[in-house]
């Protein structure tokens, strides 16, 4: 393979793919973190990650030519990393879909919020409690749920 810089024109399908990924990410950001639509948010994350991973894998496979052994090894590692990342993102959501909704009764309930160090959507709200087995459970909730539960706290949540 030449050491020269290879110029390649961006294909129309790549622009469409980029717009699709951005639309899926935007939809995921707008979906509620709790309630009946919560799984759509999770599925948006999975679709975005797998779309990017599959694109990278296909581009690596399509690039033909003679490569040194080290380059071939890196290509295999990148493909393996894409598959592992996709599986990690899919695993917990797939288990959630298979197991269905679970009900847990919590005691010692508290609500909290935390500010992440970066980003526009960096304020997170949590409900924490102890389940029947004595384990501490921490769930991310929506800002509306946080406000509603915080207002109820003085009356004995």
């Amino acid at each position: 393979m030449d050491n020269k810089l290879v110029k390649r024109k961006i294909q129309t399908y790549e622009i469409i793919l980029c717009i699709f990924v951005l639309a899926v990410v935007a939809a995921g950001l707008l979906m509620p973190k709790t309630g009946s639509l919560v799984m759509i948010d999770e599925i948006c994350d999975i679709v975005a990650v797998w779309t990017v991973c599959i694109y990278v894998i296909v581009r690596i496979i399509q690039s033909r030519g003679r490569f040194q052994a080290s380059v071939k090894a890196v290509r295999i590692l990148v493909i393996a990393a894409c598959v592992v990342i996709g599986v990690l993102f899919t695993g917990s959501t797939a288990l959630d879909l298979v197991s269905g909704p679970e009900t847990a009764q919590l005691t010692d309930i508290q609500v909290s919020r935390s500010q992440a160090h970066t980003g526009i959507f960096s304020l997170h709200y949590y409900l924490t409690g102890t389940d029947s087995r004595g384990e501490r459970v921490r769930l991310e909730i929506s800002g509306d749920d946080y406000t509603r539960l915080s207002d109820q706290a003085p009356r004995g949540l």
Side-chain angles (χ1 to χ4, degrees):
M1 186 168 166
D2 274 336
N3 288 337
K4 295 179 183 177
L5 181 63
V6 177
K7 291 186 179 182
R8 188 178 78 79
K9 195 173 182 184
I10 296 175
Q11 301 294 322
T12 304
Y13 78 90
E14 292 173 321
I15 294 171
I16 292 169
L17 194 61
C18 185
I19 292 170
F20 173 74
V21 169
L22 290 174
V24 169
V25 169
L29 290 173
L30 297 175
M31 287 293 135
K33 298 295 179 198
T34 60
S36 60
L37 299 176
V38 73
M39 288 308 289
I40 295 175
D41 175 43
E42 295 296 321
I43 291 170
C44 285
D45 294 344
I46 291 170
V47 168
V49 168
W50 270 111
T51 303
V52 172
C53 288
I54 289 170
Y55 173 76
V56 170
I57 290 169
V58 168
R59 291 287 302 147
I60 288 173
I61 291 172
Q62 283 180 343
S63 62
R64 303 203 186 267
R66 293 186 195 219
F67 298 104
Q68 298 173 358
S70 60
V71 174
K72 288 179 182 177
V74 169
R75 289 164 52 105
I76 291 170
L77 286 175
V78 169
I79 290 171
C82 285
V83 170
V84 167
I85 289 169
V87 168
L88 287 176
F89 268 85
T90 306
S92 63
T93 303
L95 290 174
D96 287 346
L97 287 171
V98 169
S99 67
E102 294 181 24
T103 302
Q105 289 187 329
L106 301 177
T107 58
D108 189 26
I109 296 172
Q110 299 172 347
V111 289
S112 62
R113 67 178 175 186
S114 67
Q115 179 81 33
H117 62 283
T118 60
I120 296 171
F121 301 101
S122 60
L123 197 57
H124 298 277
Y125 304 95
Y126 299 98
L127 179 131
T128 308
T130 306
D131 69 5
S132 60
R133 296 178 295 200
E135 294 179 22
R136 286 296 277 174
V137 177
R138 184 177 183 205
L139 306 166
E140 188 167 1
I141 60 175
S142 68
D144 292 338
D145 289 339
Y146 172 80
T147 302
R148 184 175 48 82
L149 293 170
S150 294
D151 291 344
Q152 293 176 358
R155 292 174 283 182
L157 178 67

